[in-house]
Amino acid sequence: MNKHLFPVFFLFFLVWSCAEDAEVFFNDPSLKIRFINADSLKKANDSLDITNSYIANVTEVITYLNSGLNVLEDSIDELNDSIDIGRTDYIEIRDALIEMESEFTSSLELMKENSTLLADLKSELTDVINTIESGDVQVTSITNVENNSVQTYSDSATTYNLPLSMNSNVSKFSIEIDGISYNLEVEYVKEQVVDEKRRIKIVVSDVNIISHNGFDSTSCQSLNCENETSVKLYF
């Protein structure tokens, strides 16, 4: 036997022995999907932008009123000093400034109340956006087109696992959300690996979205998720 062939046969024997010793573990590879309501997300983001604009304006007015109050207080103090030494002709001017000070104070209190309300609104909108981006959606059902198996859901969830077909490298799904049907077709590469417990498992890689009819877009650039097994679908 050629001495150069021995390492090759020996390596093949080791691989075969490891496979023989490994336990066959039947798992169900799946694609983790997060559904994002794009319309609701856009509306919430637009509302947040408007709210931030209002907050900036109110903050500017508060700064102006505070500066104005400081000037008025200083002017009133100076007039009072003059009045105390007999300049009674300043009384009318001082009283006018005191009235203006009262108006500034009322306006400042109102602006501070508006600022608090806007801050609360911003917090609520931020929570809404975070909830939408988390993918917390009520999916009615997911149907595997290949075997016509239907999975229905009674509660909302942030992620949904779509079991991939092991009979081929392509899986098709029909997804219903709020009475609207969406179609998803994905292709992938299947591989057998031996895990740390010496179990043979099927893993999926190079997930590629072939089509996503009804969905606005996906989180994968060029619709190719490469080695990702988690995808965001915007509807």
Side-chain angles (χ1 to χ4, degrees), residues 95 141 147:
D95 291 345
S141 65
N147 56 24

Side-chain angles (χ1 to χ4, degrees), residues 113-129:
E113 290 176 3
N114 289 337
S115 179
T116 300
L117 292 174
L118 288 169
D120 291 342
L121 177 58
K122 178 179 180 178
S123 178
E124 292 174 4
L125 287 171
T126 301
D127 289 342
V128 169
I129 290 171

Side-chain angles (χ1 to χ4, degrees), residues 78-91:
E78 291 177 4
L79 289 170
N80 280 332
D81 290 340
S82 298
I83 292 170
D84 288 342
I85 61 175
R87 295 297 304 270
T88 57
D89 53 316
Y90 285 163
I91 293 177

